[in-house]
């Protein structure tokens, strides 16, 4: 477990520095009546889900990081709080649980995250998603109308947090702002997420004939059959997704001489497309801009232009890029399940936070702070600094904020930060637009946005020359 303080033990520090992604188990044998008790009727599941996300842990009343037991329907807190769901399993042997934070499934008997086609569980996840976010695929029009209605209304709590953040940024005159981003930053650009039932990437991979959905991002399967990965990659690269105003806001922080580093969990490359300099950017889970031969004795490096050209233009037949030197597969530098995070992540984290107190402001945008080791970054902000979460809902250390602002107490071990939360009725782009208005940066942001994205393929060609 990652420490919640400024220090971690040796074992956990090693996990932080060399963390890797884990493949969900597809053949869990415990999806049965002994461990799962869900109605088949959709209306009954809706009734079961009503109020589930605000229901506290049955043992400690915490509501920040809870799991739902699929057998007895209890809410219990995670190991990152008081570990009562693990205790519940030990006492009751109810092994299948659902995260109310990111809708992931976990089996205590298998000691693994799992995926399952079980129809009742899929309906449960769908209804929890609607309960949590108020929207589900097929309801997009309703979402647009709601956003339009709320766009002009900012709660006093949100406005107070935005005003404090603007003042903090104004008072910074050096490179001491760190930004951490997640998938929520890119949804305004049309990037699909992974797990949303119906529209999530994992639910739309049937055409690739995979043994299971996550296989497309597993190193072992890539080595066996890389074609599905490249078919998906070509679709992704050719879509031409463009950065949102929130992406360009981060670039504006750099242009203003205030950005120390941008850590992103996204692989879409939109931060790079917005123009954030390579030395400022840490792609925690990799990116498509570079690629390497998978042969350990070769490891020849290639650029995005080579990969795109090698895949070919035939819509009906994808070509797998092969190494010019040894003939092995060439894989873009995306972190697949089973691979370690890039060395640059650990190097920059050590320099920026673990061995430095330079960071004055940490801005976290569009992440649930659930995917470790990157989710631990807010815990390493220096005492006395300000942390701000711009997100749809509170998560991580921000779940305990009463309202939208929590003032830090100097030299306190447990409340050393000024914490701000901006979100709820505001989208990320709407929050950013209000922020730049208060900073008097609106025209500059619009200029960056109108200028448009950098062509990463063309840029890689110039770099090769």
């Amino acid at each position: 477990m990652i420490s919640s303080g400024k220090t971690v033990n040796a074992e956990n520090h090693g996990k932080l520095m060399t963390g890797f992604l884990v493949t969900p188990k597809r053949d869990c044998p415990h999806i049965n009546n002994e461990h799962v008790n869900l109605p088949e009727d959709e209306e009954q599941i809706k009734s079961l889900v009503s109020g589930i996300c605000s229901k506290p842990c049955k043992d400690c009343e915490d509501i920040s990081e809870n799991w739902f037991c699929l057998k007895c329907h209890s809410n219990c807190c995670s190991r990152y709080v008081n570990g009562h769901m693990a205790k519940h399993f030990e006492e009751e042997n109810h092994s299948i649980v659902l995260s109310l934070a990111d809708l992931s499934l976990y089996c205590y008997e298998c000691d693994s995250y799992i995926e399952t086609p079980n129809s009742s569980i899929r309906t449960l996840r769908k209804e929890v998603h609607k309960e949590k976010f108020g929207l589900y695929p097929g309801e997009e029009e309703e979402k647009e109308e709601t956003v339009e209605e709320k766009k002009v209304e900012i709660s006093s709590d949100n406005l107070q947090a935005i005003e404090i953040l603007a003042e903090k940024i104004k008072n910074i005159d050096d490179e001491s702002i760190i930004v951490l981003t997640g998938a929520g930053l890119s949804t305004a650009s049309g990037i699909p997420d992974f797990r949303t039932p119906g529209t999530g990437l994992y639910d739309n991979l049937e055409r690739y004939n995979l043994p299971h959905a996550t296989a497309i991002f597993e190193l072992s399967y890539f080595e066996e059959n890389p074609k599905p990965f490249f078919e998906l990659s070509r679709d992704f690269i050719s879509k031409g997704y463009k950065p949102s105003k929130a992406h360009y806001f981060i670039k504006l922080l750099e242009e203003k001489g205030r950005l120390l580093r941008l850590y992103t969990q996204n692989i879409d490359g939109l931060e790079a497309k917005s123009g954030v300099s390579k030395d400022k950017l840490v792609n925690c889970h990799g990116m498509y801009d570079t690629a390497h031969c998978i042969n350990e004795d070769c490891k020849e490096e290639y650029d995005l232009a080579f990969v795109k050209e090698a895949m070919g233009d035939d819509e009906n037949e994808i070509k797998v890029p092969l190494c010019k030197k040894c003939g092995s597969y060439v894989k873009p530098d995306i972190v697949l399940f089973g691979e370690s995070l890039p060395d640059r992540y650990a190097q920059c984290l050590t320099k920026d936070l673990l061995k430095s107190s330079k960071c004055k402001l940490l801005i976290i945008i569009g992440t649930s702070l659930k995917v470790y080791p990157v989710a631990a970054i807010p815990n390493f902000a220096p005492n006395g600094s300000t942390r701000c979460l711009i997100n749809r809902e509170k998560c991580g250390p921000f779940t305990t904020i009463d309202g939208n602002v929590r003032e830090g107490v100097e030299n306190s071990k447990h409340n050393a930060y000024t914490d701000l939360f901006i979100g709820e009725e505001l989208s990320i782009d709407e929050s950013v637009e209000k922020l730049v208005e208060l900073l008097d940066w609106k025209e500059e942001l619009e200029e960056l946005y109108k200028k448009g994205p950098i062509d990463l393929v063309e840029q890689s060609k110039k770099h090769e020359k």
Side-chain angles (χ1 to χ4, degrees):
M1 174 176 167
I2 298 293
S3 168
S4 60
K6 287 287 290 183
T7 60
V8 294
N9 61 39
E11 178 186 0
N12 290 332
H13 186 266
K15 290 179 181 178
L16 173 72
M17 307 304 278
T18 61
F20 56 88
L21 303 178
V22 181
T23 308
K25 186 179 177 67
R26 310 293 303 190
D27 56 352
C28 171
H30 304 105
I31 305 295
N32 53 44
N33 292 336
E34 182 180 350
H35 299 278
V36 178
N37 177 29
L38 294 176
E40 294 183 2
D41 181 72
E42 185 170 338
E43 291 301 317
Q44 289 181 315
I45 292 179
K46 286 181 180 180
S47 177
L48 174 65
V49 164
S50 179
I52 190 175
C53 295
S54 59
K55 184 180 176 182
C57 169
K58 69 180 182 67
D59 293 318
C60 68
E61 299 298 312
D62 186 89
I63 62 171
S64 61
E65 295 189 29
N66 283 338
W67 291 76
F68 176 73
C69 174
L70 270 61
K71 178 64 175 179
C72 68
H73 309 158
S74 296
N75 277 22
C76 297
C77 65
S78 78
R79 63 193 179 104
Y80 297 112
V81 183
N82 294 311
H84 285 129
M85 185 54 82
K87 181 182 177 183
H88 178 72
F89 164 66
E90 292 173 358
E91 294 176 348
E92 305 293 340
N93 197 35
H94 298 168
S95 66
I96 309 298
V97 295
L98 173 72
S99 169
L100 298 180
D102 63 7
L103 308 187
S104 58
L105 283 170
Y106 190 82
C107 175
Y108 279 100
E109 288 282 3
C110 295
D111 192 20
S112 174
Y113 287 97
I114 62 172
E115 286 292 344
T116 174
N118 181 280
S119 59
S120 293
I121 293 178
R122 286 175 61 82
T123 301
L124 175 72
R125 295 171 85 171
K126 169 184 173 180
E127 294 303 324
V128 172
H129 184 278
K130 292 172 67 174
E131 172 80 10
K132 191 176 181 67
F133 302 122
L135 176 71
Y136 191 74
E139 301 172 343
E140 287 83 357
E141 184 175 346
E142 177 184 340
K143 176 186 178 184
E144 290 173 2
E145 292 174 355
T146 303
V147 169
E148 190 63 33
E149 289 172 5
K150 293 183 177 181
K151 192 171 183 180
V152 296
E153 298 181 7
I154 302 178
S155 69
S156 58
D157 284 347
N158 254 330
L159 183 58
Q160 180 191 15
I162 296 172
E163 289 173 342
I164 293 173
L165 178 59
E167 194 63 31
K168 295 284 185 181
I169 294 174
K170 287 179 181 178
N171 291 334
I172 289 175
D173 58 4
D174 59 357
E175 296 180 344
S176 56
I177 297 177
I178 291 177
V179 180
L180 168 62
T181 63
L185 176 65
S186 297
T187 54
S189 300
I191 306 289
D193 64 16
F194 285 83
R195 296 176 186 246
T196 300
T199 61
L201 185 61
Y202 288 152
D203 268 8
N204 292 278
L205 296 173
E206 294 88 353
R207 62 189 172 119
Y208 299 116
N209 297 316
L210 302 169
H212 49 269
T214 55
I216 201 166
F217 293 118
E218 293 171 10
L219 181 60
S220 58
Y221 187 75
F222 178 92
E223 293 170 339
E224 174 188 333
N225 179 20
K227 270 198 171 185
F229 175 86
F230 283 106
E231 287 175 356
L232 177 65
S233 296
R234 186 170 65 180
D235 289 347
F236 187 84
I237 293 170
S238 65
K239 284 283 186 181
Y241 295 113
K242 297 179 181 180
S244 67
K245 287 187 177 180
H247 287 97
Y248 285 109
F249 166 69
I250 302 170
K251 172 59 181 175
L252 193 53
L253 285 176
E254 180 186 3
E255 291 193 350
K256 295 287 186 179
R258 290 169 167 86
L259 183 66
L260 173 58
R261 200 84 64 194
L262 165 58
Y263 292 82
T264 179
Q265 300 170 84
N266 302 328
I267 62 173
D268 51 46
L270 294 184
E271 291 86 358
K273 283 187 175 182
S274 73
V276 174
S277 302
K278 200 165 186 177
D279 66 311
K280 296 292 184 185
L281 181 59
V282 178
N283 292 292
C284 304
H285 296 154
M287 205 179 89
Y288 281 95
D289 58 338
T290 58
H292 284 83
C293 172
I294 66 171
N295 184 343
E296 291 292 334
D297 296 325
C298 179
K299 289 289 185 181
E300 182 72 6
E301 181 174 328
Y302 295 91
D303 59 28
L304 179 60
F306 168 83
V307 173
K308 185 176 181 181
E309 183 178 353
M311 287 190 295
D313 298 324
D314 188 342
E315 294 183 3
N316 299 316
E317 181 63 29
I318 189 80
K319 296 178 181 178
V320 176
L322 300 177
C323 178
K324 294 179 180 179
K325 285 192 171 183
C326 71
S328 298
Y329 298 140
V330 172
K331 182 184 79 65
D333 293 338
I334 302 299
V335 179
L336 300 182
F337 291 120
E339 291 187 295
S340 296
L341 270 61
D343 292 340
R344 178 168 167 75
Y345 166 74
Q347 293 164 357
C348 289
L349 185 66
T350 300
K351 180 180 178 181
D352 297 341
L353 289 169
L354 298 181
K355 292 187 177 180
S356 172
S357 58
K358 186 176 182 180
C359 175
K360 298 173 185 173
L361 172 62
L362 174 63
I363 303 176
I364 304 146
I365 307 176
T367 174
S368 63
L369 292 176
K370 287 291 183 182
V371 181
Y372 285 83
V374 180
I377 286 179
N379 297 332
F380 300 102
N383 287 345
S385 62
T386 297
R387 306 182 301 185
C388 177
L389 174 67
I390 303 176
N391 199 45
R392 179 160 40 188
E393 62 179 2
K394 295 175 183 177
C395 59
F398 298 88
T399 55
T400 56
I401 296 178
D402 185 13
N404 293 59
V405 179
R406 176 169 58 198
E407 295 288 348
V409 178
E410 191 173 355
N411 298 322
S412 170
K413 292 183 178 180
H414 304 291
N415 190 20
Y417 311 103
T418 293
D419 285 335
L420 309 173
F421 170 65
I422 300 170
E424 295 172 338
E425 78 270 9
L426 294 175
S427 70
I428 289 173
D429 271 18
E430 287 169 343
S431 300
V432 167
E433 287 177 0
K434 184 60 181 178
L435 176 60
V436 296
E437 179 185 321
L438 295 176
L439 289 167
D440 199 22
W441 293 359
K442 190 173 182 178
E443 289 186 8
E444 293 163 283
L445 181 64
E446 288 295 335
E447 286 178 10
L448 281 174
Y449 188 69
K450 290 178 181 177
K451 185 179 178 181
I454 291 172
D455 188 325
L456 297 182
V457 176
E458 290 300 317
Q459 181 175 268
S460 71
K461 289 179 182 178
K462 293 177 182 178
H463 177 72
E464 185 178 24
K465 293 176 182 178

